Amino acid sequence: MNYNTDPSDISGTISHLQSRVVMCEASNPNHVNYRYWQLVKEMAKIVQFIGPPRGSSSPIGRLPTEILAEIFLYCIPEDANWTPAPDLAPMQLTAVCRRWREIAVNMPNLWRRLRLEIGHGDWQQRAFCYDSYLKRSRGRQLSLTLECNNNKWTELQSLLQPHVAKISSLHVGLSSGTSSFPLVAADFGGLEELVIYTDGSIPVPAVTHSIMHSITHLPPNMRNLRLLGIYSNFQVLSSLNSPSWAGLTNLEIMVAGLVSLPCLLRLCPSLSSLTMIGSFMPADETLGQLVHTKLQSLRISGDLRTNTVLFGLLGLFDYLTLPNLRIVEVRNIGRWAHGEFKALIARSQCPLESLIFGGGVTTTPEELAEYVTLFPSLKLVIDPKRSALFK
């Protein structure tokens, strides 16, 4: 922080920015436009640069509450969810002065994103902090990350119970010591996004079974489901007859064994983006051709963690028509099923925009040239460095 800046310069800069904000509001009172937010962000940088106010006569002390509140929002860490810390906003803002504390505590949007760590240090002390944080959100939609390093789920569930209906985004991280997973997706009625991931270790079978049971029925507004580092049981998925999966628009899963892509897409008729990772082979299709009108992005990869590279995806596209397919990315699949993919795009008459071949994919110059001929504006990428699991 720089506290030696000339106060008259600061005051003049802030006054100038304030007048420009007022002009933006006056010229377009029903719409907070892009330039308005640019001006507010400029003032936020000034606040962070010169430090806390020193008395009511300071330039920052004269800022209207409404503008100061907007600045506070831009002081929030950029990470999706964060662990409360006294040297980071929003908690840092409450320690500056009484006015700042009153403003920050009464801004629910400052307190709606939180990362909870379970299994580290004094749980009672952290639980008190988490509870205060959540109460300050005052019924706003919550985005939470749960980092689970033990099996003390009971305390966590008790803490979250009053807020369950307001959780719209939930990320759950599992460590190698986790041996249970009692959370059930359907219990979170307002959930729109669920991400379950591991620390790199493959969960014990009991945990995987519990997770599969948890996602059998999804909340009605669920749109985004990502299972990272967890092999899904495709037999269980293919046997589902749950209308709750019909609302999914983004799905990322790891699978092994026989997989029916048409079966998965039938389960998710609204899906616009699908990522599949693992070691799998196309299963025999018994229900005939499927036309899926929503899918726009398809990404497929073998799993390098198990030293598994797929072998060409032969048969995966045979029973599909994807008229809105725009983006295809493949990694670690061995020999590319060029003929089958050409048949798919010819059958689908899709507006393919981007075709990406990462590491572990074998193609020929002649095959690549055919795609450019078929789609003159196609963004064709060949990048062997793209061999890691999708992020």
Side-chain angles (χ1 to χ4, degrees):
M1 296 287 186
N2 181 358
Y3 299 115
N4 298 317
T5 308
D6 186 346
S8 62
D9 291 342
I10 298 170
S11 180
T13 301
I14 289 180
S15 297
H16 177 61
L17 289 172
Q18 277 187 257
S19 65
R20 292 164 68 188
V21 168
V22 171
M23 289 176 62
C24 281
E25 291 178 319
S27 64
N28 202 352
N30 297 319
H31 178 64
V32 181
N33 61 24
Y34 174 71
R35 184 56 187 149
Y36 173 94
W37 290 112
Q38 282 186 314
L39 296 173
V40 171
K41 288 174 72 174
E42 288 179 41
M43 284 192 283
K45 291 177 182 177
I46 293 175
V47 169
Q48 292 174 319
F49 178 68
I50 66 176
R54 290 158 291 186
S56 59
S57 63
S58 70
I60 300 177
R62 296 197 301 271
L63 281 175
T65 298
E66 294 78 8
I67 292 180
L68 200 56
E70 299 290 358
I71 292 173
F72 283 4
L73 291 175
Y74 281 98
C75 293
I76 295 296
E78 294 182 359
D79 294 339
N81 298 325
W82 54 87
T83 303
D87 59 343
L88 291 176
M91 293 184 67
Q92 183 186 43
L93 300 172
T94 66
V96 172
C97 65
R98 180 179 296 178
R99 183 185 178 218
W100 280 33
R101 177 179 175 80
E102 289 176 353
I103 294 173
V105 168
N106 288 286
M107 289 181 62
N109 284 339
L110 285 180
W111 309 93
R112 53 176 299 272
R113 308 183 76 98
L114 178 62
R115 181 174 180 265
L116 300 89
E117 296 180 345
I118 309 149
H120 292 292
D122 185 348
W123 167 250
Q124 293 301 324
Q125 181 179 356
R126 288 201 317 279
F128 177 80
C129 177
Y130 297 154
D131 185 55
S132 300
Y133 214 97
L134 292 170
K135 285 178 178 176
R136 288 174 180 174
S137 69
R138 297 184 185 179
R140 293 293 196 278
Q141 284 192 325
L142 296 170
S143 174
L144 303 183
T145 296
L146 313 180
E147 290 288 347
C148 308
N149 293 283
N150 61 20
N151 295 296
K152 294 182 178 180
W153 294 97
T154 303
E155 294 93 336
L156 175 64
Q157 289 174 302
S158 177
L159 174 69
L160 295 182
Q161 186 56 45
H163 312 282
V164 162
K166 297 299 181 181
I167 300 174
S168 61
S169 174
L170 182 62
H171 293 224
V172 184
L174 306 177
S175 71
S176 57
T178 305
S179 60
S180 63
F181 188 86
L183 302 181
V184 177
D187 291 343
F188 298 80
L191 200 61
E192 299 174 8
E193 176 187 51
L194 175 62
V195 181
I196 305 175
Y197 59 93
T198 72
D199 60 2
S201 59
I202 297 177
V204 298
V207 172
T208 301
H209 177 78
S210 296
I211 292 172
M212 296 305 298
H213 174 73
S214 170
I215 63 173
T216 299
H217 298 284
L218 302 176
N221 295 320
M222 177 79 86
R223 296 295 177 264
N224 185 5
L225 176 61
R226 302 174 66 205
L227 304 178
L228 312 177
I230 301 156
Y231 274 101
S232 303
N233 186 324
F234 199 83
Q235 288 184 331
V236 174
L237 290 179
S238 61
S239 65
L240 290 178
N241 187 23
S242 175
S244 62
W245 279 65
L248 284 179
T249 58
N250 178 54
L251 177 62
E252 184 169 338
I253 58 172
M254 298 185 68
V255 292
L258 294 176
V259 171
S260 168
L261 188 53
C263 176
L264 186 59
L265 293 176
R266 284 190 182 96
L267 183 63
C268 309
S270 300
L271 209 61
S272 63
S273 176
L274 172 63
T275 299
M276 288 201 314
I277 301 168
S279 172
F280 53 87
M281 297 177 59
D284 291 334
E285 181 57 41
T286 59
L287 297 178
Q289 195 77 16
L290 171 69
V291 178
H292 194 286
T293 61
K294 301 292 186 180
L295 193 69
Q296 298 183 29
S297 173
L298 177 62
R299 303 193 302 169
I300 301 174
S301 175
D303 183 4
L304 290 183
R305 300 181 313 163
T306 56
N307 295 319
T308 300
V309 175
L310 303 185
F311 294 96
L313 305 181
L314 291 174
L316 193 67
F317 306 129
D318 285 352
Y319 295 92
L320 285 176
T321 300
L322 305 173
N324 275 309
L325 188 63
R326 286 170 165 76
I327 301 170
V328 174
E329 181 171 0
V330 289
R331 305 178 182 183
N332 312 307
I333 55 99
R335 184 74 183 93
W336 174 236
H338 173 67
E340 292 188 10
F341 184 70
K342 264 185 45 178
L344 168 67
I345 56 180
R347 185 167 61 244
S348 302
Q349 293 295 297
C350 57
L352 193 64
E353 299 171 358
S354 180
L355 180 57
I356 303 168
F357 295 109
V361 182
T362 304
T363 61
T364 68
E366 293 75 18
E367 291 171 351
L368 300 177
E370 283 192 62
Y371 294 125
V372 175
T373 301
L374 288 170
F375 301 95
S377 61
L378 179 69
K379 179 183 177 182
L380 183 62
V381 177
I382 299 92
D383 185 1
K385 294 182 180 179
R386 297 193 188 198
S387 58
L389 297 183
F390 295 113
K391 300 291 187 179

